């Protein structure tokens, strides 16, 4: 009796030790910066820049080995993690398998992207650079080639029984305001079905846990991007998140903060969609004013469990690219600055650094090789600067990463955001004036810095003293964003000659 329980305890302790040795926790992810890769469109193994028709629904040839070969391009911008498309085996129909969201077998791989050896080699190459691997996963649905009403469930793995899916009766979501429908009806349609998993079924819940306990260590995965979170009942997610033993960053595609934030009580992090909608509106249109964004920032901070564990993004593979709304380069820089310095773990979608301008899915999935992986492009270098500023900020100030941002100044077209203590904070000043705007001076009455501190605007290297009441004299040149930082923290960093 005693020896059995002791043995169980020893095995438990060893398993826990082994798991924590590999796994990256939410707190470890906080300091990361993520580059989102749409695997089929990132890099081919052969490096032939084969033409890929914009909007094409099918394979253009990107692979895991292609990613491994191009890690310098990603790390060169300062990213410390990548998120890749789902890796598991998908339906045969290439129009639905190229993105990876139509799984048939969780224990197999999408062979179009390479072999198990290729995926492990990618994980190893990342590890040797100190970078993390985040893999996209879907629990809400599988895929099937054939009619929704004629699914041969035995071809799916590991959920191979009709009762593992929502089938009484099969329905397709029509009313997105009806949460039961959102959770229990299917997305997709009768001809291209996405069989909706019955995630309340005990066998299914166990099946996901068993799969994650194999999958995460098998491919040395450090974090998960979780698809279609709002389409699954909330109580499922803590089971899933816990079994994975890594940071989970989920997709709740909704702009309503009251609807959105409660999901963070069930999962480590979420892509900050309510902020995404506000920053896209504000920064894409010089006639828009900042009020809605300022309000959303406050509401997110008060309603969400921890905004510093959310994913901060301004583009992804589902939404029209920012440059599809405006070609203005100053606005493009402002939204990138916001994305990378505001609360959350920054996520930049491949191609944003090359100012790609495709419309919504499938036009936002341009092959990156058309850019020739240009490391001299203006936004490649801007992203690199933002990653460097962010990492300097959290290296020099221990409170930066968990600090909840505050808006210290806003008017119709300018928003200043503070992160950190008064003597070691980073102040980001963004605007939506546009590149043609006249230069602009303003005195921010209370920027947040300690009085009389000497600060440097890191992108222009202009130096300015905070006045004796905490006011800061800010210049806005050609609609560009600016970042103010204490001068005394710069020596040794290389910034502005220090
Ligand atoms: C899901 O499975 C559970 C357990 O077998 C069952 O009670 C429930 O009715 C199923 N739900 C739906 C919507 O099919
Ligand atoms: C925006 O997207 C649409 C649809 O893909 C496309 O026709 C248009 O050319 C895009 N605009 C720009 C500026 O690229």
């Amino acid at each position: 009796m005693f020896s059995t329980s002791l043995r169980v305890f020893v095995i438990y302790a060893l398993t826990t030790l082994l798991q924590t040795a590999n796994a990256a926790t939410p707190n470890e992810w906080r300091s990361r910066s993520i580059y989102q890769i749409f695997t089929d469109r990132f890099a081919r193994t052969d490096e032939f820049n084969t033409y890929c028709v914009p909007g094409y629904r099918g394979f253009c040839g990107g692979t895991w080995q292609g990613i491994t070969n191009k890690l310098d391009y990603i790390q060169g911008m300062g990213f410390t993690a990548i998120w890749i498309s789902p890796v598991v085996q998908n339906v045969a129909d290439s129009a639905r398998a190229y993105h990876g969201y139509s799984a048939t077998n969780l224990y197999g791989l999408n062979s179009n992207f390479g072999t198990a050896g290729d995926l492990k080699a990618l994980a190893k190459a990342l590890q040797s650079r100190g970078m993390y691997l985040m893999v996209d996963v879907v629990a809400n649905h599988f895929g099937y080639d054939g009619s929704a009403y004629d699914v041969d469930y035995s071809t799916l793995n590991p959920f191979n029984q009709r009762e593992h899916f929502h089938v009484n009766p099969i329905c397709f979501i029509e009313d997105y305001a009806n949460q039961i429908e959102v959770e229990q009806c299917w997305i997709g349609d009768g001809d291209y079905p996405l069989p909706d998993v019955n995630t309340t079924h005990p066998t299914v819940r166990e099946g996901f846990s068993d799969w994650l306990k194999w999958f995460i260590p098998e491919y040395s995965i450090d974090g998960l991007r979780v698809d279609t979170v709002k389409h699954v009942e909330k109580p499922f997610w803590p089971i899933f998140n816990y079994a994975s033993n890594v940071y989970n960053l989920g997709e709740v595609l909704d702009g309503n903060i009251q609807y959105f934030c409660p999901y963070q009580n069930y999962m480590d992090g979420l892509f900050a969609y309510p902020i995404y909608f506000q920053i896209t509106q504000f920064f894409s249109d010089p006639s828009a004013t900042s009020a809605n964004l300022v309000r959303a920032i406050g509401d997110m901070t008060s309603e969400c469990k921890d905004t510093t564990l959310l994913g901060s993004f301004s583009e992804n593979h589902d939404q029209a690219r920012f440059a599809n709304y405006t070609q203005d380069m100053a606005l493009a820089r402002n939204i990138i600055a916001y994305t990378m310095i505001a609360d959350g773990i920054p996520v930049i979608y491949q191609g944003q650094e090359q100012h790609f301008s495709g419309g919504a899915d499938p036009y936002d999935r341009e092959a990156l090789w058309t850019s020739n992986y240009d490391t001299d492009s203006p936004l490649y270098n801007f992203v690199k600067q933002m990653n460097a500023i962010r990492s300097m900020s959290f290296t020099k100030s221990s409170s930066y990463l968990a600090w909840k941002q505050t808006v210290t100044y806003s008017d119709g077209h300018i928003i200043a955001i503070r992160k950190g203590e008064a003597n070691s904070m980073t102040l980001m000043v963004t605007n939506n004036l546009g590149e043609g705007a006249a230069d602009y001076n303003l005195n921010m009455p209370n920027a947040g810095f300690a009085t009389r501190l000497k600060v440097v605007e890191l992108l222009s290297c202009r130096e300015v003293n905070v006045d004796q009441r905490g006011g800061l004299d800010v210049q806005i040149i050609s609609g560009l964003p600016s970042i103010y930082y204490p001068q005394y923290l710069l020596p040794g960093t290389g910034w502005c000659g220090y």
Side-chain angles (χ1 to χ4, degrees):
M1 191 64 188
F2 173 77
S3 74
T4 307
S5 58
L6 184 66
R7 209 166 66 213
V8 168
F9 174 75
V10 169
I11 289 168
Y12 168 80
L14 277 174
T15 314
T16 311
L17 258 176
L18 283 173
Q19 283 187 346
T20 45
N22 282 323
T25 63
N27 192 47
E28 285 166 322
W29 272 91
R30 233 191 219 110
S31 61
R32 296 285 155 162
S33 175
I34 305 173
Y35 184 72
Q36 180 194 351
I37 291 177
F38 193 87
T39 303
D40 182 59
R41 306 293 160 84
F42 180 71
R44 293 169 55 94
T45 299
D46 60 18
E47 304 198 20
F48 294 154
N49 292 343
T50 307
Y51 185 62
C52 178
V53 183
Y56 178 58
R57 295 178 196 264
F59 289 101
C60 286
T63 60
W64 297 316
Q65 199 185 319
I67 301 171
T68 305
N69 295 341
K70 286 274 178 284
L71 290 179
D72 282 348
Y73 174 83
I74 300 167
Q75 199 175 23
M77 269 177 283
F79 289 104
T80 48
I82 61 170
W83 148 26
I84 62 174
S85 303
V87 300
V88 299
Q89 191 176 346
N90 266 234
V91 294
D93 177 8
S94 60
R96 296 191 300 138
Y98 81 99
H99 50 61
Y101 297 98
S102 307
T104 54
N105 176 12
L106 299 186
Y107 285 89
L109 291 176
N110 190 331
S111 58
N112 294 280
F113 299 153
T115 63
D118 295 340
L119 184 53
K120 289 176 183 178
L122 171 58
K124 204 165 173 200
L126 287 164
Q127 240 164 37
S128 75
R129 290 168 185 257
M131 295 172 73
Y132 282 173
L133 174 62
M134 173 175 278
V135 172
D136 206 327
V137 292
V138 190
N140 174 62
H141 56 267
F142 274 57
Y144 188 72
D145 277 330
S147 161
Y149 305 99
D150 206 15
V151 174
D152 177 359
Y153 293 96
S154 74
T155 62
L156 304 176
N157 187 36
F159 309 121
N160 53 13
Q161 312 281 320
R162 192 180 152 83
E163 69 179 54
H164 296 152
F165 295 84
H166 285 140
V167 290
N168 9 305
I170 291 172
C171 51
F172 295 92
I173 305 169
E174 283 167 11
D175 178 9
Y176 270 81
N178 180 339
Q179 187 61 26
I180 300 290
E181 236 182 76
V182 167
E183 290 173 8
Q184 297 186 1
C185 294
W186 299 18
I187 53 177
D189 59 45
D191 294 335
Y192 300 100
L194 297 169
D196 202 85
V197 181
N198 182 349
T199 36
T200 62
H201 196 296
T203 307
V204 169
R205 288 187 170 187
E206 250 169 67
F208 270 118
S209 294
D210 290 346
W211 171 63
L212 287 167
K213 284 173 188 160
W214 169 81
F215 180 65
I216 300 286
E218 179 69 9
Y219 297 110
S220 308
I221 294 164
D222 302 294
L224 297 178
R225 182 271 181 185
V226 187
D227 192 61
T228 41
V229 167
K230 73 176 187 184
H231 293 279
V232 175
E233 75 285 351
K234 291 191 180 93
F236 171 79
W237 292 119
I239 299 167
F240 187 90
N241 198 146
Y242 180 79
S244 75
N245 199 35
V246 291
Y247 172 67
N248 283 202
L249 179 53
E251 176 205 32
V252 173
L253 206 176
D254 210 287
N256 179 336
I257 293 169
Q258 272 67 39
Y259 177 88
F260 174 90
C261 284
Y263 280 94
Q264 203 186 9
N265 301 330
Y266 299 83
M267 184 172 284
D268 299 325
L270 307 169
F271 289 90
Y273 254 111
I275 293 292
Y276 162 80
F277 289 117
Q278 296 302 338
I279 57 179
T280 301
Q281 271 171 25
F282 176 65
F283 290 114
S284 67
D285 177 7
S287 73
T289 58
S290 66
N292 290 341
L293 173 55
V294 172
R295 192 177 316 119
I297 291 169
D299 290 351
M300 288 286 280
T301 313
S302 58
E303 302 285 321
C304 279
K305 187 173 164 196
D306 185 351
T307 49
T308 66
L309 281 175
L310 299 177
S312 173
F313 72 102
S314 40
E315 291 190 7
N316 66 29
H317 59 299
D318 291 325
Q319 306 293 339
R321 292 200 184 259
F322 182 73
N324 197 262
Y325 301 110
T326 173
Q327 295 280 305
D328 185 300
M329 286 299 284
L331 293 174
R333 284 181 158 88
N334 274 282
I335 199 167
I336 290 173
Y338 186 93
T339 304
M340 299 187 69
I341 304 296
D343 277 3
I345 302 165
V347 187
I348 295 289
Y349 175 43
Q350 69 173 58
Q352 186 167 9
E353 77 280 13
Q354 299 294 348
H355 208 220
F356 280 3
S357 61
D361 169 13
Y363 299 98
D364 52 5
R365 300 167 177 190
E366 308 95 321
L368 189 66
W369 49 86
T370 61
S371 72
N372 286 316
Y373 307 96
D374 183 4
T375 55
D376 292 324
S377 77
L379 295 183
Y380 182 98
N381 284 288
F382 188 71
V383 167
K384 185 178 181 170
Q385 284 182 306
M386 289 303 118
N387 266 324
I389 289 171
R390 181 170 180 270
S391 97
M392 172 171 70
S393 298
F394 69 70
T395 306
K396 301 260 170 196
S397 156
S398 56
S399 62
Y400 180 90
L401 286 172
W403 184 277
K404 309 253 167 58
Q405 66 186 25
T406 45
V407 175
T408 56
Y409 175 88
S410 70
D411 60 32
H413 301 283
I414 295 174
I415 298 183
I417 284 173
R418 161 190 182 172
K419 278 186 76 84
E421 314 281 355
N423 62 355
S424 60
M425 60 178 249
T426 304
L427 182 77
M428 165 176 64
V429 183
T430 57
N431 71 83
N432 73 340
L433 299 164
E435 61 195 355
D439 294 350
Y440 191 101
N441 268 296
L442 82 149
N443 187 271
M444 281 185 187
N446 186 1
F449 284 113
T451 55
R452 297 197 174 89
L453 195 66
K454 181 187 266 191
V455 298
V456 179
E457 197 287 293
L458 295 172
L459 302 173
S460 64
C461 297
R462 174 178 160 260
E463 301 197 352
V464 54
N465 289 308
V466 177
D467 70 27
Q468 72 271 25
R469 281 165 298 130
L472 179 69
D473 167 36
V474 165
Q475 282 183 3
I476 291 164
I477 310 290
S478 307
L480 294 170
S482 44
I483 314 271
Y484 291 85
Y485 195 68
Q487 182 271 338
Y488 80 94
L489 291 174
L490 290 180
T493 61
W495 276 97
C496 296
Y498 284 101

